[in-house]
Amino acid sequence: MRDQTSGFFGSVDEVTERLAAVGYLASTAVATTVFLADRLGKPLLVEGPAGVGKTELAKAVARVGGARLVRLQCYEGIDESRALYEWNHAKQLLRITAGRGESWEDARTDVFGEEFLLPRPLLTAIRGEEPTVLLIDETDKADLEVEGLLLEVLSDFQVTVPELGTIAATRRPFTLLTSNATRELSEALRRRCLFLHLDFPDPELEERIVRLRVPGLDAALAASVVRVVNALRAMDLRKSPSVAETIDWARTLLALGADSLDDAVVRTSLGVILKHQEDIRRATEKLTLA
């Protein structure tokens, strides 16, 4: 059976409107790329610095589509058994022990059946019959061997289990890969995906995001928060504040009852948006609120 695409969106404008309804404000470029990935059934590779909303985009698409979110969190050393599937060896051993006296061929047919298979995120997403969003998060942290595994999955949305054969998707998941660009991904992987570079939003969009996510915040204070955050990002910091940290800072100021940003408020709350002492020291020395 030919696999079906997810079919979450009917137009670019619909992407923008429906994502906004669940709290994700998308630029035209983001909305267009998401629409094309959905319509064409192509994986979407989203690359950019940490904290710009790459993972949140996948979560927002899942909420909009009423879909199950299946997440593969990549890390150094992740292997096929963590990403694709593994066999329940303890249960297999119990089955073999219980079947003493039967031939190995009889036992083998049984112990390599569905009952003993432990699907991991990639296989879970491919076998799903309901609407599914597959998030392959921080792909750049995985080893090259895992990239090779992804090639079959992202080309045909199928996987091969030697004992069971080839398992193909009947309903293609909306697939989003994220990368912080800590290493270069292979051209073979990139060819299989649509590409979107997601950077920090411009001040106007970030202000809208802050006001949407922190509804009790005064408009002037929201503008000041975004202005200071952008000034911090322009500094040579070890880790620039993310959009999520901008929102956290806005919530902090609201909780403190601050109605404006003065020197004392900023310096006592910098730990909300800066997470390294050398960054706090540099910001304290260079930041001006005038």
Side-chain angles (χ1 to χ4, degrees):
M1 179 187 295
R2 183 179 176 86
D3 62 309
Q4 304 172 345
T5 57
S6 51
F8 292 145
F9 305 104
S11 68
V12 174
D13 287 342
E14 185 181 332
V15 176
T16 304
E17 294 168 5
R18 294 181 68 191
L19 289 180
V22 295
Y24 193 99
L25 299 183
S27 66
T28 301
V30 171
T32 301
T33 311
V34 167
F35 170 73
L36 291 174
D38 180 54
R39 178 57 59 90
L40 300 176
K42 297 274 287 182
L44 173 57
L45 170 60
V46 185
E47 198 167 68
V52 294
K54 303 185 295 296
T55 300
E56 286 302 315
L57 178 57
K59 293 178 180 179
V61 171
R63 289 196 295 271
V64 163
R68 176 177 59 161
L69 178 67
V70 177
R71 180 174 183 170
L72 172 62
Q73 180 63 53
C74 297
Y75 54 87
E76 185 177 351
I78 190 173
D79 60 12
E80 181 175 320
S81 66
R82 297 288 97 187
L84 190 54
Y85 73 91
E86 63 181 325
W87 293 103
N88 189 332
H89 299 302
K91 194 171 182 180
Q92 286 175 322
L93 183 59
L94 287 173
R95 166 63 183 83
I96 293 170
T97 303
R100 292 180 189 273
E102 67 182 341
S103 70
W104 165 242
E105 285 304 317
D106 291 338
R108 182 181 183 280
T109 301
D110 195 8
V111 298
F112 287 107
E114 286 283 348
E115 180 184 355
F116 301 91
L117 186 68
L118 298 174
R120 299 309 183 195
L122 295 180
L123 183 56
T124 297
I126 284 176
R127 298 175 79 186
E129 297 182 357
E130 70 273 40
T132 301
V133 172
L134 171 60
L135 168 62
I136 305 174
D137 213 7
E138 298 187 296
T139 311
D140 51 323
K141 289 187 177 179
D143 299 329
L144 290 174
E145 290 76 9
V146 173
E147 267 197 55
L149 172 65
L150 291 175
L151 296 182
E152 179 187 11
V153 175
L154 300 181
S155 292
D156 303 311
F157 284 89
Q158 64 179 33
V159 297
T160 300
V161 180
E163 297 84 357
L164 298 177
T166 299
I167 301 172
T170 56
R171 184 178 187 124
R172 182 170 294 203
F174 181 98
T175 303
L176 190 148
L177 302 86
T178 74
S179 169
N180 296 334
T182 57
R183 74 167 176 84
E184 189 68 26
L185 299 176
S186 69
E187 290 301 323
L189 183 63
R190 289 179 179 275
R191 279 198 306 272
R192 286 158 172 78
C193 305
L194 300 184
F195 177 76
L196 173 66
H197 180 79
L198 200 58
D199 211 335
F200 293 113
D202 61 56
E204 180 182 354
L205 178 57
E206 188 164 18
E207 189 176 333
R208 289 174 55 210
I209 293 170
V210 170
R211 295 190 65 187
L212 177 66
R213 301 295 293 274
V214 193
L217 196 69
D218 177 75
L221 185 55
S224 296
V225 166
V226 171
R227 177 177 59 82
V228 172
V229 167
N230 276 271
L232 292 170
R233 288 176 186 153
M235 297 180 187
D236 184 22
L237 301 178
R238 181 174 171 182
K239 169 66 172 64
S240 294
S242 67
V243 177
E245 286 159 344
T246 305
I247 294 169
D248 285 344
W249 197 31
R251 288 173 175 158
T252 298
L253 297 172
L254 192 64
L256 292 173
D259 53 12
S260 64
L261 281 182
D262 57 36
D263 187 74
V265 169
V266 170
R267 295 183 192 283
T268 55
S269 60
L270 274 178
V272 176
I273 49 176
L274 301 178
K275 304 304 170 66
H276 298 280
Q277 181 56 34
E278 58 265 40
D279 287 348
I280 293 176
R281 177 183 54 77
R282 185 173 287 111
T284 301
E285 293 172 352
K286 297 185 176 182
L287 190 63
T288 58
L289 299 177

